[in-house]
Amino acid sequence: MTHGHAVLPLLLTVVHTTTDFTNSINLTKYAAFSIVASTSGPAPAIGLARKHPANPVVVQDQPWEPRLDNGYPNIVYDPANTQGQGAFRLWYGGFIACTDCATSQGRNRVSAWHYANSSDGIHWTKPSLGIYNLSSCSQCTPEAQRAGTSNNLLMTGDGLGVYRDVYE
C-alpha cells in the first residue's frame, strides 16, 4: 500500500490481439495469460516490467473498495476496440467488505471481481455496470450499500480470472 492506496501490478497480464471483443464483460470469453505480445495471438514474451511514474494507476477510491491488494489483475489489450471502452480492459479482485483491513490482514472479508477500462493503460475508468447489487451485502459499509448496482463489480469471489475462448 502507498499512502493508503493499494498498488496493483498492472503489467502482469496483457493480451495483444486483433480480435473484436464485442462482449468484453462476458467472463466466459477471456483468459489470464502471462505477459504476451503478438499480433497473431497470445505468445510468451520475456521482458522487464517497471512501475509507471504516476503509480499507483489504479487506486481504491470507491466506497466498495476498502482494500485492493493481491488483485489478480487480468488485462486485455485490444487496440482495434470500436466499443468505446478503450484499448485496455482490466478485471481485478478486491475486498468490498473488510473489518480492520487498515491495520491487519482483516477479518469478515468479502471479495469481488471488479472491471475497469482505459485508452492508455495509465488513466482508468471504473464504469457503472449495473450488475452486482451492493445493497444485498450485509458486511459492506452503509455508504457502499447505498451505491446499489451503481458500481464496477461483476460478482463476488476470490482468486478469479478471465478466460477467452478463441473458438466461441
Side-chain angles (χ1 to χ4, degrees):
M1 280 207 163
T2 304
H3 304 290
H5 297 289
V7 177
L8 293 178
L10 294 179
L11 296 177
L12 291 182
T13 312
V14 178
V15 174
H16 175 95
T17 182
T18 58
T19 304
D20 179 18
F21 290 105
T22 55
N23 294 319
S24 67
I25 299 175
N26 184 339
L27 294 179
T28 63
K29 297 195 181 271
Y30 292 90
F33 295 96
S34 298
I35 296 176
V36 294
S38 171
T39 57
S40 61
I46 297 173
L48 178 63
R50 286 184 226 95
K51 290 182 179 180
H52 190 275
N55 223 27
V57 296
V58 175
V59 297
Q60 50 199 49
D61 59 358
Q62 301 298 323
W64 55 86
E65 297 176 332
R67 183 165 157 181
L68 299 177
D69 60 6
N70 299 319
Y72 306 105
N74 293 252
I75 297 176
V76 170
Y77 175 62
D78 179 14
N81 177 359
T82 60
Q83 303 302 311
Q85 298 171 343
F88 296 89
R89 300 190 194 150
L90 166 67
W91 292 263
Y92 61 101
F95 300 131
I96 59 172
C98 185
T99 305
D100 298 327
C101 274
T103 58
S104 68
Q105 288 189 4
R107 54 191 168 78
N108 303 319
R109 301 182 304 192
V110 178
S111 297
W113 198 228
H114 302 65
Y115 175 79
N117 53 44
S118 172
S119 51
D120 62 7
I122 305 300
H123 304 94
W124 292 89
T125 300
K126 299 173 184 177
S128 178
L129 302 175
I131 296 173
Y132 183 79
N133 192 346
L134 283 163
S135 64
S136 64
C137 177
S138 62
Q139 294 167 297
C140 287
T141 65
E143 185 181 11
Q145 290 175 339
R146 282 191 295 276
T149 59
S150 183
N151 60 65
N152 65 320
L153 303 174
L154 295 162
M155 66 178 74
T156 57
D158 197 9
L160 300 168
V162 291
Y163 177 80
R164 177 180 178 264
D165 184 346
V166 296
Y167 299 105
E168 196 173 294

